[in-house]
Amino acid sequence: MIETAQRMKHFKTSVFTSLKELKEQYEKEHNQKTIDFSLGSPNITPDPQIMNVLAEAVEQPENYKYAVTALPQLIESIQKWYRNRYEVDLEKEEIVLLQGSQEALVNLPLIYCNEGDGILVPDPYYPVYVDAPKLAQADIIFTPLRRENNYLVDFSRITEEQRKSAKMMLVCYPNNPTGAAAPDSFYEELIRFAKENDILIVHDNAYSELVFDGKKGKSFLSFPGAKEVGVELNSFSKTYGMAGARLGVLVGNKKVIEAYRILKSNMDYGIFLPVQYAGIEALEHGGSAIQSTRQEYERRRDATVKAFHAAGWPIQPSEATMFIWALIPEQYKDCEQFAQELLKRTGIVVTPGTSFGPEGKRYVRIALVQDEQDILEAAKRLQTSGLFGQG
Ligand SMILES: Cc1ncc(COP(=O)(O)O)c(C=O)c1O
């Protein structure tokens, strides 16, 4: 049989596939449904009007041609969105449309890194932040995100040698998996760091609309000098509940956008036109749905923290995103042992923190993808499980 390439040795089946097998086993053995807080797939449906526009566009035969590029009207809507929402002016040459932001997370390391070039990656990370550098045969340099530093990158810990070797830095706030948001001072420091060390910044802003407690997410590009050093990813997946209708944008530094477009023009034929029309509808009229989505995630966060506390697991609320980064009880060896015990005794599924990097050893990630009724049912099972010394 023909062997796969060397680079495939870095990859194994995703943790979510193995969790699915354990889930099925629990449901068979206990004849009871599991409550799954593992995968961050949004379960809040899009605004009906977005779905209507998509459905109507799907019925138009002319929408089945190769789109190749973005609809001019969608580019205009993106410019309006960035101006009104983030106070950022974007030229057309500073925008490229994506089949979800994941696409650019895979391609940017391939575009910018030669074998052995360094990429600064947060630890814990969103998994593709390490998968893509591996594919590009780049060197991963972890920047730990720790609770005592509010899960912000600590620039003072990045050594001279690491600064010299790094060509690119991936940054994500609001952050998956920690749920942290970054203050303005962080972005100012980030831009200084990038200029001083000549490092390309890729800021992942997929959760910009899921910031809680009355605060508002910003764009990295709204800070002076950002466009000189980097680009930002934004996504329709979480903001408009459109994860399956793949749509995202890469915006910012013109040279990066140009390089990206060159690669893309050789790789794909653009985004299905009905999805582009749905994107226009979302940007032009989807504002109220954003607010109700945010409120729903905030309600779920509060309900989870309160009910799990009462059940004996004192988890900390997140500032943003659809995740809670929860410390595991002290008596457990590590997150994997705890996650397995939790699933075995309660049918609750969470993702072990090490799936997001070595810093996750004493954490699990709880995705806020269950409604309040299931959160309360989960808390009831926790209470009687004996996992926290009671029960
Ligand atoms: C931090 C982060 N970035 C990017 C993505 C990918 O989003 P998209 O659906 O736009 O590809 C996700 C999805 O979960 C994410 O959590």
Side-chain angles (χ1 to χ4, degrees), residues 19 119 122 204 217 258 294 305 348-349 385:
L19 282 173
I119 304 190
D204 183 348
E258 192 187 343
R294 180 189 309 122
V305 170
I348 295 170
V349 193
S385 66

Side-chain angles (χ1 to χ4, degrees), residues 39-42 98-105 125-129 171-177 204-207 233-238 242-249 321-323 365:
L39 194 59
S41 183
L98 308 170
Q99 316 215 11
S101 41
Q102 189 95 345
E103 179 203 303
L105 288 167
Y125 50 76
Y126 172 58
V128 76
Y129 292 5
V171 183
C172 174
Y173 293 101
N175 183 263
N176 176 11
D204 183 348
N205 208 8
Y207 295 96
L233 288 158
N234 217 317
S235 170
F236 289 64
S237 298
K238 320 287 159 153
M242 284 172 62
R246 310 293 297 135
L247 192 61
V249 290
T321 74
M322 53 193 291
F323 306 107
R365 191 190 73 172

Side-chain angles (χ1 to χ4, degrees), residues 320-340:
T321 74
M322 53 193 291
F323 306 107
I324 290 174
W325 189 236
L327 257 178
I328 61 168
E330 269 173 23
Q331 64 268 35
Y332 293 90
K333 182 169 85 64
D334 59 30
C335 60
E336 309 217 349
Q337 187 208 13
F338 175 70
Q340 276 181 19

Side-chain angles (χ1 to χ4, degrees), residues 119-387:
I119 304 190
L120 292 158
V121 174
D123 170 19
Y125 50 76
Y126 172 58
V128 76
Y129 292 5
V130 298
D131 294 335
K134 283 179 193 165
L135 209 53
Q137 295 175 293
D139 279 351
I140 295 162
I141 307 166
F142 281 134
T143 56
L145 310 183
R146 301 213 166 117
R147 190 177 176 190
E148 60 269 22
N149 196 34
N150 297 324
Y151 301 111
L152 296 171
V153 176
D154 183 349
F155 294 95
S156 70
R157 289 173 57 103
I158 305 175
T159 65
E160 243 352 277
E161 199 188 329
Q162 291 173 330
R163 288 165 195 243
K164 278 206 189 99
S165 120
K167 202 159 181 194
M168 178 184 287
M169 178 173 190
L170 298 172
V171 183
C172 174
Y173 293 101
N175 183 263
N176 176 11
T178 66
D184 291 0
S185 56
F186 172 81
Y187 289 106
E188 287 152 10
E189 198 177 353
L190 175 66
I191 292 164
R192 252 195 325 272
F193 173 80
K195 279 191 180 160
E196 277 167 18
N197 298 290
D198 204 15
I199 293 172
L200 170 65
I201 303 297
V202 178
H203 180 249
D204 183 348
N205 208 8
Y207 295 96
S208 112
E209 299 308 328
L210 296 183
V211 180
F212 307 136
D213 307 311
K215 296 192 186 130
K216 209 169 170 195
K218 289 192 176 179
S219 163
F220 157 66
L221 298 179
S222 67
F223 293 90
K227 273 192 201 172
E228 290 160 40
V229 296
V231 284
E232 175 163 280
L233 288 158
N234 217 317
S235 170
F236 289 64
S237 298
K238 320 287 159 153
T239 305
Y240 298 105
M242 284 172 62
R246 310 293 297 135
L247 192 61
V249 290
L250 177 68
V251 291
N253 186 281
K254 245 187 235 179
K255 285 219 173 90
V256 179
I257 301 295
E258 192 187 343
Y260 197 92
R261 282 198 178 148
I262 291 173
L263 180 70
K264 199 169 164 64
S265 68
N266 290 281
M267 293 289 163
D268 71 47
Y269 289 117
I271 315 286
F272 187 38
L273 286 168
V275 172
Q276 295 200 39
Y277 285 113
I280 296 169
E281 177 61 27
L283 292 178
E284 296 294 330
H285 305 114
S288 61
I290 296 179
Q291 199 184 344
S292 56
T293 300
R294 180 189 309 122
Q295 285 166 346
E296 176 61 21
Y297 282 121
E298 193 164 348
R299 258 196 305 276
R300 290 177 185 180
R301 175 201 65 168
D302 293 342
T304 309
V305 170
K306 188 167 166 219
F308 284 24
H309 260 253
W313 188 10
I315 58 175
Q316 295 298 310
S318 42
E319 294 173 90
T321 74
M322 53 193 291
F323 306 107
I324 290 174
W325 189 236
L327 257 178
I328 61 168
E330 269 173 23
Q331 64 268 35
Y332 293 90
K333 182 169 85 64
D334 59 30
C335 60
E336 309 217 349
Q337 187 208 13
F338 175 70
Q340 276 181 19
E341 276 301 302
L342 184 68
L343 176 53
K344 252 197 264 168
R345 293 215 226 161
T346 66
I348 295 170
V349 193
V350 293
T351 315
T354 42
S355 316
F356 308 98
E359 285 290 324
K361 193 163 176 211
R362 300 216 57 82
Y363 291 86
V364 291
R365 191 190 73 172
I366 300 169
L368 300 168
V369 291
Q370 300 294 346
D371 59 25
E372 245 170 293
Q373 200 183 335
D374 286 324
I375 293 167
L376 294 178
E377 167 63 24
K380 214 161 82 188
R381 292 189 197 176
L382 283 177
Q383 186 110 46
T384 52
S385 66
L387 277 165

